[in-house]
Amino acid sequence: LAELTRPRLVFADIWMHVSDHLTTTALHKNPAVAMYAVDSFRQLCIQYLQREELGSFEFQRRFLAPLETVMARSEEHTTKELLLKCVERLILMFGNPADEQGRGGMLRSGWRPVL
């Protein structure tokens, strides 16, 4: 999680490698392994989406795109179910208008992959 504090362009390069690994793991035939990867995606997404998206940069879209890939390619219904629950939580946390913790309304370019 310390990597999340790096400048966004540096983090985007790091995320490319990490997301490839997590995507491959989330598509694993063993449901326990796949679900662990999806939960890791969820935790990282929550941490990342707490950062405000800057102007015309679409880092949220790139950050959340692996979720779309996993949903399209996974053959495990348990993995897909967990992924849907994770997306629901992200929408409730970051898609609604601002809440008392100031988290709402933070989802911008990330709407495309979650929908």
Side-chain angles (χ1 to χ4, degrees):
L1 294 177
E3 301 299 331
L4 292 174
T5 61
R6 293 183 184 264
R8 284 175 174 86
L9 290 175
V10 173
F11 180 72
D13 289 337
I14 294 169
W15 180 245
M16 182 177 66
H17 298 290
V18 171
S19 67
D20 285 346
H21 175 71
L22 283 175
T23 300
T24 301
T25 306
L27 295 171
H28 197 276
K29 292 183 185 206
N30 182 334
V33 172
M35 291 174 72
Y36 185 82
V38 170
D39 188 57
S40 296
F41 268 130
R42 179 191 60 79
Q43 292 175 43
L44 288 168
C45 288
I46 288 171
Q47 290 297 316
Y48 185 78
L49 289 173
Q50 291 178 12
R51 299 176 73 187
E52 188 172 346
E53 186 163 59
L54 302 175
S56 62
F57 295 104
E58 292 192 349
F59 289 119
Q60 288 182 358
R61 181 185 54 79
R62 291 196 297 185
F63 193 85
L64 296 171
L67 301 178
E68 187 176 14
T69 303
V70 172
M71 182 58 80
R73 294 178 47 199
S74 178
E75 296 176 2
E76 293 292 329
H77 73 280
T78 54
T79 302
K80 287 185 173 190
E81 184 177 331
L82 179 60
L83 187 59
L84 284 174
K85 288 179 182 180
C86 292
V87 168
E88 176 187 34
R89 182 161 181 197
L90 293 174
I91 291 171
L92 291 173
M93 288 178 73
F94 301 103
N96 292 326
D99 60 9
E100 60 276 353
Q101 296 170 341
R103 291 188 300 211
M106 299 287 287
L107 197 56
R108 300 191 195 270
S109 69
W111 277 110
R112 176 173 274 154
V114 299
L115 293 178

